[in-house]
Amino acid sequence: DSFKGPITSATVNRETALLSAAINYAKREWDWDIPNPVTGRKLPEPEGRDRHLSLSEVGVLVTIAEQRAPYLADFIELAIHTGCRKQELLGLEWNRVDLKRGLFYLDGVHTKSGKRRSVPINETVRLRFISRIRFRAKYCPGSAWVFCHKNGERLKDLKKSFGTACRLAGIK
């Protein structure tokens, strides 16, 4: 049912890495004396995509997002101006935003690298945070999340709205 086409090298590499980790765990923790047939066997993978939006594409995308889903425009601008990953922003709580100091904070549990860091807030980011503050004040004053629904629950993903905005902006 869930098969979506040919299995890629990346999928094979992930699966064999899991097998290798299980074998290594058994050897280390349970003193199993078994060979690891996966060691050193990795299929070549193609390089990742290298796609960057032009300033005009960003402008069109943000304009369309403003009209259809203002939270998406706020998200796009925050992502562009901070370099944060999607989950870093979607998981951002107000108690980690300090507009007076011009920073917001990401603890190790919130970052892919597992390292804590602070992110500077420029004027564009400040205005987008103010937009989110207004939304929160109007719909869900008790919500801890910067990006949330009107009921205060955290937004978990933006795939559909972002995909629609990209399609309308003519961005592939």
Side-chain angles (χ1 to χ4, degrees), residues 94 132-145 148-152:
W94 283 112
R132 301 310 308 151
I133 289 169
R134 288 183 180 135
F135 175 88
R136 180 183 186 213
K138 183 175 181 179
Y139 296 106
C140 50
S143 180
W145 307 105
C148 61
H149 297 282
K150 288 182 179 179
N151 65 5

Side-chain angles (χ1 to χ4, degrees), residues 60-79:
V60 171
L61 186 60
V62 169
T63 300
I64 288 171
E66 284 282 3
Q67 297 164 356
R68 298 190 54 88
Y71 68 89
L72 182 60
D74 293 338
F75 181 88
I76 291 167
E77 292 258 76
L78 279 169

Side-chain angles (χ1 to χ4, degrees), residues 13-144:
N13 287 341
R14 274 195 305 279
E15 296 290 332
T16 55
L18 178 62
L19 175 61
S20 179
I23 291 170
N24 288 337
Y25 180 87
K27 290 169 76 168
R28 183 180 62 251
E29 297 297 322
W30 302 327
D31 294 322
W32 285 16
D33 186 22
I34 58 173
N36 189 339
V38 183
T39 301
R41 296 178 189 258
K42 189 173 181 183
L43 297 175
E45 296 179 29
E47 286 189 32
R49 291 176 294 205
D50 190 18
R51 170 75 162 95
H52 303 280
L53 297 178
S54 68
L55 287 176
S56 63
E57 287 176 317
V58 169
V60 171
L61 186 60
V62 169
T63 300
I64 288 171
E66 284 282 3
Q67 297 164 356
R68 298 190 54 88
Y71 68 89
L72 182 60
D74 293 338
F75 181 88
I76 291 167
E77 292 258 76
L78 279 169
I80 287 170
H81 284 266
T82 64
C84 287
R85 290 180 165 89
K86 178 175 70 170
Q87 291 307 322
E88 290 173 340
L89 292 176
L90 289 178
L92 186 59
E93 299 162 286
W94 283 112
N95 64 0
R96 295 188 280 122
V97 176
D98 189 343
L99 291 176
K100 288 180 184 169
R101 287 194 173 140
L103 296 169
F104 65 92
Y105 305 93
L106 300 172
D107 292 328
V109 296
H110 304 116
T111 65
K112 184 176 177 182
S113 68
K115 295 180 181 175
R116 178 184 329 138
R117 72 176 195 272
S118 59
V119 181
I121 297 173
N122 66 19
E123 191 55 31
T124 301
V125 172
R126 179 180 302 282
L127 292 173
R128 292 301 177 167
F129 274 131
I130 290 170
S131 169
R132 301 310 308 151
I133 289 169
R134 288 183 180 135
F135 175 88
R136 180 183 186 213
K138 183 175 181 179
Y139 296 106
C140 50
S143 180

